[in-house]
Amino acid sequence: MQAPVISWYDANASRLAVAYEAVPPTITRDWLADLLPAPPAVIIDVGAGTGRDAGAYAGAGYEVIAIEPSTAMRAEAEARYPSPRIRWLTDSLPTLTTASRSGVAADVVSLSAVWQHVAPADRPRAFRKLVGLLRSGGLLVMTLRHGPDDGRGGHQVGLAEVETLARNHGMQMVRAVPSPDLQGRPNISWTAVVLRLPDDGTGALPLLRHLILQDAKSATYKLGLLRALCRAADGSAGLAEDDGDDHIRLPLGLVALNWLRLYLPLVKAGLPQTPTNHRGSEGLGFAGPGWLALAAGALSPLDLRPGAVLGEAPNQVLHEALREATDHIVRMPANYLKFPGGAQILETTRARASHRSGSLVVDGIYLSAFGTMRVPRHLWTAMQRFAVWVEPALISEWMRLTQGYAATQGRTVDTGALAAAMTWSGPVRDVALPRARALALMESRTAVHCVWSGKRLAPDTLDVDHCLPWSAWPCSDLWNLMPAHRRVNQHSKRERLPSAEALQQAGAAIADWWAAAYLQPEDQVLPIRFASEARASLPGLSGAGAVREPDVRVAMALQRTRLRQDQGVPEWMWHS
C-alpha cells in the first residue's frame, strides 16, 4: 500500500474510529455468517483498521491475525480490542511479506474496504499473495467500494476484475451481494464478494510425490536434499528471504548444515547411501577431510544447528565440511532435481566463504556466506504446512533405497537401526542449559517462578517445559524452554499447546525468565545464541542486531497458531 494512503489513515485515525465502530462487524452480515467455518478457525484480517472486525471474530472464538500498516489505526485497535486471540502484524498489500513468511494457512482471509487502495497494476500480485495465505477450502472475503475517492487514495474497483482474478487462480465465486453504504453516504455503495479455494492449486504436493516416489535415483542424494529443505522449512524458516513473489532464497550453508546432520548418523551406522557405498564414507561425493573429521567425532549431530556456538577447532572442521557439502549439493542433487518438463527446480549461487578464526556463532550471516539456494515458493509453502506428512514419505523412500543398496551388496539392514539413524532429533530433550540457569538463579537467591501458575519454584519442583510441545515440533531453542512447576508440566499441560489466552497470561513471566536466564548484558554468549536461534526458527525475525523481546513473543504466538492449524495439536489453558 502506498505511503500517502498510510499517512492519511495515521492522520485521521481518531475520527475514523468513531465512524468505523458504528458499523456492524462483517461477521454479523447475512451474506457471510452462514459460510464461516466454526471457531477456532484462523482468520486473517487484512487492513484491520480500528479492529472492529478482528475484535468481533476474536469474541466469537476465532484466532485472528490482524494486519494493519497504519501505526495510529493499529494503536486505536489494540487499545479497543486487547484480546489474546488477536495477533497484530505491521504489513500491507501487495507484498504481505510478514504474513507470507509466517507460514500460517488461514481458513478465511478478509478484506473490508481495502481493495480500492491497491493500485490496479498491483492487483494481480496482491491477489496471488492473498490466495497464498489460504488453506484448501478457505474463503477469501472482500468488500468492494464503489464511488468517488474522498482524499484517502482510492482507485476504481469492479466485480468483473475480481471474477477474472479468481478464475486465474482456480477460485470459485460463492457469493456477490450489492449493498448500500452503512454509514449513510449517498454516493457510496458496496459489493460483498466471497470466493472459495477448492484446493491449494499450486501443484506442489503432486510435484513432491513425483520427486520422492517416481524420479530416477542412483543414490539417496535427491532425497537427502529434499529432506534438508523440509527440515529448513519446518525448523529454520526464519532464515528464508523473499526473492520476488514466486521464490524464496535460503542460505546454502543452512541446506548443507541439515545435510550433514542427516547423513552423519547414517554413515556412522554403516548404512549404504549408494550401490557402491560399502563401508562408512567410502565413495560418498561429499566425504572430504571436513566430513571425515565430523564422522570421527569432532562434532555431534546436535552441534549442527543454527545458533550453535563453536570453538576454534570445531569451527574449522564445520567450515570445511560445509564447503564440501555445498560443493556436492550444487554439482549433484540440486543440478538433477527437475520439473517433469525438464527445467531445474532449485537454482544455486555459490560463494567462497572465508574461514573465521576463533569461536563461531552458526547464524544466518555465516550460513549465507557459502551461497544461496532459490526455492519455488509453492514448494517451500507446502513443506512448511505439510512437513509432518512430507517428511515421513521422504524417510520411507530413503529407507527403501538404503535397504535395496544393502541387498545388492549381499547384506541385510536391521530395520530398527535404520529407523533410529533416520531420526532427526536426539532421543533426549536437551533442557540441561535452562535447568542449570534456573538452579543458578535459585542458588543466588533470585526467585524463579512457573511461567504458567506463577508459583515460586524449588529444585525439587522445577521442570523445564517446551512451551510449543516437543511432540508437535522438536525445538530446544532457548526461547522455547521455560521453567514450570513439575505438577503443571507433567500432569496438566503435558504435550499440549498453550492456548492464546494462556500464552498472553504468561507473557510477562516468559519475558522475565528470558531476561534473567538468557539475556543478561554481561553475558557474551547466551544473548547471541538466543537471538540466532529465534531468528532461525521463527519467521518474521531478521537482521543481525539484537532481537526485541516483544517481537519474539509475537513470532512465537504465530508459530503456535501454525502448529494448531496445520497439525491439530490440542490446546491447554491454565486453571488455578
Side-chain angles (χ1 to χ4, degrees):
M1 193 171 292
Q2 295 178 338
V5 176
I6 298 172
S7 298
W8 188 92
Y9 279 98
D10 280 334
N12 292 275
S14 298
R15 175 178 64 83
L16 292 171
V18 176
Y20 287 177
E21 294 299 316
V23 174
T26 301
I27 191 175
T28 64
R29 312 293 174 81
D30 291 342
W31 50 265
L32 177 62
D34 63 314
L35 297 174
L36 287 173
V42 174
I43 311 271
I44 297 182
D45 187 9
V46 180
T50 56
R52 179 198 69 207
D53 286 348
Y57 283 125
Y62 292 96
E63 286 209 29
V64 184
I65 297 171
I67 296 172
E68 177 51 56
S70 164
T71 301
M73 295 288 278
R74 194 169 60 254
E76 286 274 356
E78 292 190 64
R80 290 171 181 271
Y81 301 101
S83 170
R85 291 191 168 273
I86 305 176
R87 297 296 164 189
W88 292 92
L89 296 185
T90 302
D91 208 349
S92 66
L93 290 166
T95 58
L96 291 178
T97 302
T98 304
S100 298
R101 281 170 57 86
S102 74
V104 174
D107 297 280
V108 179
V109 174
S110 176
L111 293 84
S112 180
V114 171
W115 195 242
Q116 73 272 13
H117 293 310
V118 181
D122 291 332
R123 286 175 185 166
R125 181 187 189 192
F127 198 91
R128 184 165 62 250
K129 289 284 189 174
L130 294 168
V131 174
L133 296 177
L134 284 169
R135 69 186 308 179
S136 297
L139 299 178
L140 177 58
V141 179
M142 310 171 72
T143 58
L144 307 179
R145 182 185 188 276
H146 311 292
D149 181 45
D150 57 2
R152 65 187 71 189
H155 306 273
Q156 293 295 314
V157 299
L159 180 59
E161 175 196 43
V162 173
E163 289 177 323
T164 299
L165 290 169
R167 283 195 301 271
N168 291 343
H169 290 82
M171 298 195 76
Q172 300 171 339
M173 177 70 73
V174 178
R175 195 168 286 169
V177 180
S179 67
D181 182 60
L182 294 179
Q183 296 183 43
R185 294 168 292 185
N187 55 348
I188 303 296
S189 64
W190 299 83
T191 302
V193 180
V194 182
L195 306 168
R196 189 184 300 278
L197 181 67
D199 55 47
D200 69 3
T202 66
L205 294 179
L207 174 61
L208 283 169
R209 184 180 186 280
H210 168 79
L211 295 175
I212 295 169
L213 300 178
Q214 297 172 341
D215 200 33
K217 301 173 185 70
S218 58
T220 63
Y221 298 153
K222 289 180 180 178
L223 297 174
L225 176 52
L226 289 172
R227 194 175 174 204
L229 288 175
C230 200
R231 294 307 318 174
D234 188 52
S236 304
L239 296 181
E241 298 291 341
D242 286 333
D243 188 2
D245 288 343
D246 299 327
H247 292 82
I248 61 97
R249 194 172 288 275
L250 282 178
L252 190 54
L254 172 64
V255 181
L257 190 72
N258 289 348
W259 174 281
L260 296 174
R261 186 167 172 178
L262 289 168
Y263 275 100
L264 197 56
L266 292 166
V267 174
K268 280 187 174 182
L271 298 166
Q273 302 306 303
T274 74
T276 58
N277 173 218
H278 292 269
R279 291 185 301 276
S281 303
E282 178 185 275
L284 296 179
F286 54 90
W291 166 263
L292 295 176
L294 280 184
L299 288 89
S300 81
L302 295 180
D303 291 322
L304 304 175
R305 58 176 179 81
V309 180
L310 306 177
E312 169 67 33
N315 165 10
Q316 188 168 353
V317 169
L318 177 63
H319 188 85
E320 184 65 17
L322 287 175
R323 187 191 62 77
E324 295 160 359
T326 52
D327 285 346
H328 177 77
I329 289 168
V330 170
R331 285 188 298 103
M332 296 299 293
N335 189 39
Y336 289 105
L337 274 175
K338 309 279 189 180
F339 288 107
Q344 189 167 330
I345 297 173
L346 304 169
E347 302 172 27
T348 55
T349 302
R350 289 286 285 114
R352 190 170 295 278
S354 300
H355 173 249
R356 301 181 187 177
S357 59
S359 63
L360 169 72
V361 178
V362 183
D363 57 13
I365 295 175
Y366 172 70
L367 296 171
S368 294
F370 292 88
T372 58
M373 177 171 283
R374 194 167 184 253
V375 183
R377 186 180 295 277
H378 72 302
L379 204 64
W380 177 254
T381 300
M383 287 179 167
Q384 275 190 292
R385 294 179 180 172
F386 307 119
V388 70
W389 297 292
V390 173
E391 190 168 16
L394 285 164
I395 292 171
S396 177
E397 182 64 9
W398 198 333
M399 291 176 68
R400 189 190 68 79
L401 278 184
T402 297
Q403 290 168 324
Y405 297 153
T408 64
Q409 298 170 9
R411 56 191 179 112
T412 59
V413 170
D414 178 76
T415 303
L418 178 54
M422 284 285 178
T423 302
W424 172 256
S425 300
V428 179
R429 305 180 189 195
D430 184 10
V431 299
L433 191 150
R435 175 175 290 279
R437 295 295 298 128
L439 293 174
L441 289 168
M442 293 177 189
E443 193 171 316
S444 68
R445 300 187 183 279
T446 300
V448 177
H449 295 91
C450 172
V451 297
W452 307 118
S453 68
K455 292 181 179 178
R456 183 165 180 169
L457 300 174
D460 63 340
T461 60
L462 169 68
D463 256 9
V464 176
D465 179 32
H466 286 73
C467 178
L468 306 183
W470 176 271
S471 59
W473 191 52
C475 174
S476 285
D477 290 354
L478 296 182
W479 61 264
N480 196 39
L481 300 175
M482 46 201 63
H485 194 283
R486 184 161 296 165
R487 180 166 295 278
V488 173
N489 190 38
Q490 297 185 14
H491 300 286
S492 179
K493 179 175 181 286
R494 304 178 71 182
E495 295 293 339
R496 291 184 287 175
L497 280 171
S499 68
E501 292 82 359
L503 201 56
Q504 184 186 62
Q505 180 179 306
I510 291 172
D512 289 344
W513 162 250
W514 287 346
Y518 309 137
L519 302 178
Q520 291 298 303
E522 65 274 13
D523 193 320
Q524 300 298 306
V525 175
L526 289 184
I528 296 173
R529 174 177 165 181
F530 181 91
S532 297
E533 289 178 343
R535 278 196 295 265
S537 57
L538 294 173
L541 295 174
S542 59
V547 298
R548 296 176 63 249
E549 174 271 323
D551 294 338
V552 178
R553 283 203 284 139
V554 169
M556 179 171 65
L558 288 173
Q559 184 70 356
R560 188 208 73 86
T561 299
R562 188 175 79 84
L563 290 172
R564 186 189 66 77
Q565 183 80 331
D566 291 350
Q567 297 188 33
V569 183
E571 290 185 310
W572 168 83
M573 179 64 189
W574 163 249
H575 297 289
S576 58

